[in-house]
Amino acid sequence: MKKNNADTIAPASLPGNRGKAIGVEKPKDSLAVLVRLWKYLSRQKLLLSLVLLALVVNTLANLGGSYLLRPIINDYIVPGNLAGLAKMAFLMIGIYLIGAIASIAQSRLTISMAQKTVMQIRKDLFGKMQMLPVRFYDTHQHGDLMSRFTNDIETVSEALNNSVVQLLISSITLMGTLGLMIYISPMLTLVSLIMVPLMLFTASKIIKKSKQFFGANQAALGTANGYVEEMISGQKVVKVFSHEEEAIHHFEKLNGHLGQQSMKAQFYSGLMMPLMFNISTINYALTAIIGAVLAITRGLDIGGLAAFLQYARQFGRPINEISSQFNSLQSALAGAERIFNIMDEEPEPKDSEDAVAIASVSGDVQFEHVDFSYSPDKQILKGISLHAYKGNKIAFVGETGAGKSTVINLLPRFYDIQSGKITIDGISIEKIKRDDLRRNLAIVFQDTHLFTTSVMENIRYGRLDASDEEVVAAAKLAAADSFITMLPQGYDTLLVNDGSNLSQGQKQLINIARAAIADAPILILDEATSSIDTRTEIAIQKGIDQLMKSRTSFVIAHRLSTVRNADEICVIDKGQIVERGRHEQLLAQKGIYYQLHLRQFD
Ligand SMILES: Nc1ncnc2c1ncn2[C@@H]1O[C@H](COP(=O)(O)OP(=O)(O)OP(=O)(O)O)[C@@H](O)[C@H]1O
Ligand SMILES: [Mg+2]
């Protein structure tokens, strides 16, 4: 497994290459994404219905309250009916009050609906990520995957909290207003609609422009963020090569660019409101004048005119809202699409129908003519055959990149082979349930990993039901106990940042203890002691030998002293086993192993 190597950062003088441009991506299939989001929302049936109900009540109350102006003026103000007027005024206040309550309820309900939905999405995404094969992680940028969890979910959450509801309110208001306007006076409605094409045209022009700038803004933001992330993870390399000045200088450039793009984006999106406001004010004036003429010549009632003007004034607002929510909705859909794309990734294939459950294997491992490649264009392993009998110790040696780690990564089925066969106890590993297969393997990987928790829990990760005493015993076996007890809080010391408060060798010792406690019949050590000093190595070797006594083990080591007692040493060169045998046999052959040996012990 190759993981993102924090040491290979871009020099400060180059643009941050990991800051992948995000941009206001357009979702490729908006409708499909919408349908899927809707499915998520509709899981909260009760909340969703309540939100919709509150939303409709709120909008209708607003529309209805304004309509009351008509009877109030026509039937009470004009005839001068004071008592009736007071009653109507109370009615109006009552209606607006209901609207206000509904609006508060709606915003509270929306928040919990959005939160629950986002929680569900997060849960599904995380669950999915646990199901994805190693190949997926080997071929995707980890920073990019992280950003789906953070940025993308955030934009979706933002949209669910605001945009979606706002869009619904605006649409209902728009239709309601239009309906009531037509009801009051179709003629006057026609007049006030004259400006609508102009409004739509202006809005679409501005949206287009601002989308462009928002895209550039997002891209600049992505680059700047990516750069900061690189500078944090690569801080040591930056410092040791004295690139701080360049880093600052480069960041200033990125920051300046970001500022400019952001200004432009804000300017255009800020243009929308005042422009629309002015157009609708003109529209209002026009409608008022023509409405007055109609009232005089065509007998339009004064109350009707007043209510109509009220609507005409509000008419521009929903159009405005819809267009301004459009952007954020669009980026939310793009974010949701990126999230759904991961959810649609192929998980690790299910165990085949005839897969067998094996609680514990005896540990007879066989490779028969195994060919393997990570990608079709480059074959890595060619015709690997070997037989590890129960309790055997098999060692792999060979130069960097020869394929040693690849061989052992095949056993837990991180990758499946193209041809040949790997069997454990005579059963093809593809026919063993994955969980059972992996439970029977204890692996110390070449790149160690420690979780952010105590030393104790990090070791216990190998077998969750292990007692504290067993953890300590495993640590003693791995010669880790003596340094752990020297740590400030001993076994309770918190490890952070992949164990950045430990030395590389100490990390390896803890990883070995974790494998020891797993108590699996097959043990795999990939350069497990490469960073450990020779004295500690001798100490740990006793423990490891004891561990291996009853187990089948595979050991990869550059340091040949660790492999000389192996039952079989395989020399791997360019993906093939070119020499094999016991230490003395290989030395006698005077081949590659002999050469390696000479160079190490001269
Ligand atoms: N996940 C991967 N995807 C594609 N190619 C890979 C991957 N991992 C390793 N390789 C390639 O496979 C080949 C063998 O790599 P492998 O890690 O098995 O070497 P190794 O013998 O363990 O080397 P080292 O001694 O440096 O650990 C290398 O050419 C490497 O570039
Ligand atoms: Mg390796």
Short mmCIF file of all heavy atoms in Angstrom, two decimals, residues 18 44 74 82 90 110 140-141 162 202 207 209 215 226 233 271 276 293-294 306 328 390 404 421 447 572 581:
data_model
loop_
_atom_site.label_atom_id
_atom_site.label_comp_id
_atom_site.label_asym_id
_atom_site.label_seq_id
_atom_site.Cartn_x
_atom_site.Cartn_y
_atom_site.Cartn_z
N ARG A 18 -1.88 20.24 -4.80
CA ARG A 18 -2.96 19.42 -4.26
C ARG A 18 -4.24 20.21 -4.08
O ARG A 18 -5.29 19.64 -3.86
CB ARG A 18 -2.54 18.80 -2.93
CG ARG A 18 -2.11 17.39 -3.18
CD ARG A 18 -1.62 16.69 -1.98
NE ARG A 18 -2.47 16.70 -0.83
CZ ARG A 18 -2.00 16.35 0.35
NH1 ARG A 18 -0.78 15.98 0.49
NH2 ARG A 18 -2.80 16.36 1.38
N GLN A 44 -37.43 11.65 6.69
CA GLN A 44 -37.92 12.38 7.86
C GLN A 44 -39.37 12.77 7.59
O GLN A 44 -39.70 13.95 7.56
CB GLN A 44 -37.11 13.66 8.11
CG GLN A 44 -35.63 13.51 7.96
CD GLN A 44 -35.05 12.69 9.09
OE1 GLN A 44 -35.60 12.63 10.17
NE2 GLN A 44 -33.95 12.03 8.82
N ASN A 74 -62.98 48.68 1.04
CA ASN A 74 -64.27 48.78 0.36
C ASN A 74 -65.46 48.82 1.31
O ASN A 74 -66.35 49.65 1.19
CB ASN A 74 -64.47 47.60 -0.59
CG ASN A 74 -63.56 47.74 -1.81
OD1 ASN A 74 -62.96 48.81 -2.03
ND2 ASN A 74 -63.44 46.67 -2.58
N LEU A 82 -66.67 52.18 11.70
CA LEU A 82 -65.52 52.12 12.60
C LEU A 82 -65.48 50.81 13.39
O LEU A 82 -64.43 50.17 13.51
CB LEU A 82 -65.57 53.31 13.56
CG LEU A 82 -64.18 53.82 13.99
CD1 LEU A 82 -63.35 54.23 12.80
CD2 LEU A 82 -64.34 54.95 14.99
N PHE A 90 -58.45 43.46 13.83
CA PHE A 90 -58.03 42.35 14.70
C PHE A 90 -57.85 41.06 13.90
O PHE A 90 -56.91 40.31 14.12
CB PHE A 90 -59.05 42.15 15.83
CG PHE A 90 -58.80 43.08 16.98
CD1 PHE A 90 -59.76 44.00 17.40
CD2 PHE A 90 -57.56 43.04 17.64
CE1 PHE A 90 -59.51 44.86 18.44
CE2 PHE A 90 -57.31 43.89 18.69
CZ PHE A 90 -58.29 44.81 19.09
N THR A 110 -37.21 23.19 10.17
CA THR A 110 -36.28 23.02 9.05
C THR A 110 -34.90 22.66 9.56
O THR A 110 -34.23 21.78 9.02
CB THR A 110 -36.19 24.31 8.22
OG1 THR A 110 -37.50 24.67 7.82
CG2 THR A 110 -35.32 24.10 7.00
N HIS A 140 -7.10 7.23 -4.86
CA HIS A 140 -7.75 8.53 -4.67
C HIS A 140 -6.95 9.40 -3.73
O HIS A 140 -6.36 8.91 -2.77
CB HIS A 140 -9.17 8.36 -4.12
CG HIS A 140 -10.14 7.89 -5.15
ND1 HIS A 140 -10.19 6.58 -5.56
CD2 HIS A 140 -11.07 8.55 -5.87
CE1 HIS A 140 -11.12 6.45 -6.49
NE2 HIS A 140 -11.67 7.63 -6.70
N GLN A 141 -7.00 10.70 -4.04
CA GLN A 141 -6.28 11.63 -3.18
C GLN A 141 -7.00 11.74 -1.83
O GLN A 141 -8.21 12.00 -1.79
CB GLN A 141 -6.28 12.99 -3.87
CG GLN A 141 -5.13 13.85 -3.47
CD GLN A 141 -5.33 15.24 -3.99
OE1 GLN A 141 -6.45 15.69 -4.19
NE2 GLN A 141 -4.23 15.93 -4.18
N ASN A 162 -31.28 26.48 4.27
CA ASN A 162 -31.79 27.75 3.74
C ASN A 162 -32.43 27.65 2.36
O ASN A 162 -33.61 27.89 2.20
CB ASN A 162 -30.65 28.77 3.66
CG ASN A 162 -30.10 29.06 5.03
OD1 ASN A 162 -30.86 29.25 5.96
ND2 ASN A 162 -28.79 29.06 5.15
N THR A 202 -32.43 40.30 -16.90
CA THR A 202 -31.34 40.89 -16.10
C THR A 202 -30.80 39.86 -15.10
O THR A 202 -29.59 39.68 -14.97
CB THR A 202 -31.86 42.09 -15.31
OG1 THR A 202 -32.74 42.83 -16.15
CG2 THR A 202 -30.73 42.99 -14.86
N ILE A 207 -26.68 36.30 -13.07
CA ILE A 207 -26.36 34.97 -12.54
C ILE A 207 -25.23 34.34 -13.34
O ILE A 207 -24.29 33.78 -12.79
CB ILE A 207 -27.60 34.06 -12.58
CG1 ILE A 207 -28.59 34.48 -11.50
CG2 ILE A 207 -27.21 32.60 -12.39
CD1 ILE A 207 -29.87 33.71 -11.53
N LYS A 209 -22.92 35.80 -15.12
CA LYS A 209 -21.64 36.46 -14.82
C LYS A 209 -21.13 36.04 -13.44
O LYS A 209 -19.97 35.68 -13.27
CB LYS A 209 -21.85 37.98 -14.82
CG LYS A 209 -21.30 38.71 -16.05
CD LYS A 209 -19.83 38.67 -16.09
CE LYS A 209 -19.19 39.60 -17.10
NZ LYS A 209 -18.72 38.88 -18.27
N GLY A 215 -17.23 30.61 -9.59
CA GLY A 215 -16.42 29.44 -9.95
C GLY A 215 -14.95 29.73 -9.71
O GLY A 215 -14.24 28.97 -9.06
N GLY A 226 -5.68 24.09 -0.21
CA GLY A 226 -4.80 22.97 -0.49
C GLY A 226 -3.37 23.31 -0.13
O GLY A 226 -2.64 22.50 0.44
N SER A 233 1.15 19.80 6.63
CA SER A 233 1.63 18.42 6.68
C SER A 233 3.12 18.34 6.32
O SER A 233 3.81 17.45 6.78
CB SER A 233 0.80 17.52 5.77
OG SER A 233 0.84 18.02 4.46
N LEU A 271 -24.92 43.02 -7.04
CA LEU A 271 -25.58 43.87 -8.02
C LEU A 271 -27.06 43.52 -8.16
O LEU A 271 -27.90 44.37 -8.45
CB LEU A 271 -24.88 43.65 -9.37
CG LEU A 271 -24.75 44.84 -10.30
CD1 LEU A 271 -24.06 45.97 -9.57
CD2 LEU A 271 -23.98 44.44 -11.54
N MET A 276 -32.69 44.68 -9.20
CA MET A 276 -34.04 44.13 -9.17
C MET A 276 -34.98 45.06 -8.42
O MET A 276 -36.12 45.25 -8.82
CB MET A 276 -34.03 42.76 -8.47
CG MET A 276 -33.34 41.71 -9.27
SD MET A 276 -34.01 41.69 -10.92
CE MET A 276 -33.87 40.02 -11.30
N VAL A 293 -55.92 54.77 -13.14
CA VAL A 293 -56.72 55.07 -14.32
C VAL A 293 -57.85 54.06 -14.44
O VAL A 293 -59.02 54.42 -14.67
CB VAL A 293 -55.83 55.05 -15.60
CG1 VAL A 293 -56.70 55.20 -16.84
CG2 VAL A 293 -54.79 56.15 -15.53
N LEU A 294 -57.54 52.78 -14.22
CA LEU A 294 -58.56 51.74 -14.31
C LEU A 294 -59.65 51.94 -13.26
O LEU A 294 -60.83 51.71 -13.52
CB LEU A 294 -57.93 50.36 -14.11
CG LEU A 294 -57.19 49.75 -15.30
CD1 LEU A 294 -56.65 48.37 -14.95
CD2 LEU A 294 -58.13 49.65 -16.52
N ALA A 306 -55.76 48.71 -3.81
CA ALA A 306 -54.79 48.76 -2.71
C ALA A 306 -54.16 47.39 -2.50
O ALA A 306 -52.93 47.25 -2.39
CB ALA A 306 -55.46 49.23 -1.43
N SER A 328 -26.39 28.79 -4.76
CA SER A 328 -26.01 27.92 -3.66
C SER A 328 -26.66 26.55 -3.83
O SER A 328 -26.09 25.53 -3.45
CB SER A 328 -26.38 28.53 -2.32
OG SER A 328 -27.73 28.76 -2.26
N LYS A 390 2.55 -25.39 8.02
CA LYS A 390 2.19 -24.86 9.33
C LYS A 390 3.45 -24.66 10.18
O LYS A 390 4.27 -25.57 10.32
CB LYS A 390 1.25 -25.86 10.02
CG LYS A 390 0.88 -25.51 11.44
CD LYS A 390 -0.05 -26.58 11.98
CE LYS A 390 -0.16 -26.60 13.49
NZ LYS A 390 -0.38 -25.39 14.20
N LYS A 404 7.91 -7.31 -2.81
CA LYS A 404 7.78 -8.07 -1.56
C LYS A 404 6.48 -7.73 -0.83
O LYS A 404 5.71 -8.61 -0.47
CB LYS A 404 8.99 -7.77 -0.64
CG LYS A 404 10.33 -8.02 -1.31
CD LYS A 404 11.49 -7.72 -0.39
CE LYS A 404 11.63 -6.25 0.00
NZ LYS A 404 11.93 -5.35 -1.12
N LYS A 421 -3.24 -19.32 -7.93
CA LYS A 421 -4.10 -19.69 -6.80
C LYS A 421 -3.36 -19.46 -5.49
O LYS A 421 -2.16 -19.74 -5.40
CB LYS A 421 -4.44 -21.17 -6.95
CG LYS A 421 -5.67 -21.60 -6.20
CD LYS A 421 -5.99 -23.03 -6.63
CE LYS A 421 -7.10 -23.62 -5.79
NZ LYS A 421 -7.25 -25.05 -6.05
N ASP A 447 4.26 0.68 6.48
CA ASP A 447 4.03 1.99 7.08
C ASP A 447 3.15 1.79 8.30
O ASP A 447 1.99 1.42 8.21
CB ASP A 447 3.42 3.00 6.10
CG ASP A 447 2.53 2.35 5.08
OD1 ASP A 447 1.35 2.13 5.40
OD2 ASP A 447 3.00 2.06 3.98
N ILE A 572 13.36 -12.04 -4.12
CA ILE A 572 12.44 -11.56 -5.16
C ILE A 572 13.15 -10.50 -5.99
O ILE A 572 13.79 -9.59 -5.44
CB ILE A 572 11.16 -10.99 -4.54
CG1 ILE A 572 10.45 -12.10 -3.76
CG2 ILE A 572 10.25 -10.42 -5.60
CD1 ILE A 572 9.06 -11.80 -3.36
N GLY A 581 15.74 -20.93 -0.67
CA GLY A 581 16.44 -21.96 0.09
C GLY A 581 16.77 -21.44 1.48
O GLY A 581 16.37 -20.32 1.85
#
